[in-house]
Amino acid sequence: MTLIALGAGGGMPEHHADGPIGIHVLEGSIRLQVGEDEYLLDTGALLSLPKSVVHSVSSAEGASFLLTVALPVPVG
């Protein structure tokens, strides 16, 4: 779990995660670009993506969100 804060006009360029992710917007709103799809997530919104999905994040007015990446735990 990682708390991410974006300033006004901030963002993260295209990237992917090695596990499924969950995004919970704590304050403000973010724009999530997934391929040709675009999601506007406001405070309180939750969204999940499967592993390896390329996406980018931006916020016009600034926002904070909790990012959770679920990675497999080695057994043994």
Side-chain angles (χ1 to χ4, degrees), residues 28-63:
S29 64
I30 63 172
R31 184 173 308 277
L32 187 72
Q33 187 74 39
V34 182
E36 294 184 18
D37 296 324
E38 187 174 86
Y39 303 93
L40 181 59
L41 306 175
D42 293 319
T43 301
L46 297 166
L47 183 120
S48 63
L49 293 175
K51 71 176 187 173
S52 301
V53 172
V54 176
H55 58 281
S56 63
V57 181
S58 63
S59 179
E61 64 279 340

Side-chain angles (χ1 to χ4, degrees), residues 53-76:
V53 172
V54 176
H55 58 281
S56 63
V57 181
S58 63
S59 179
E61 64 279 340
S64 63
F65 61 96
L66 185 62
L67 171 67
T68 303
V69 180
L71 297 173
V73 177
V75 179

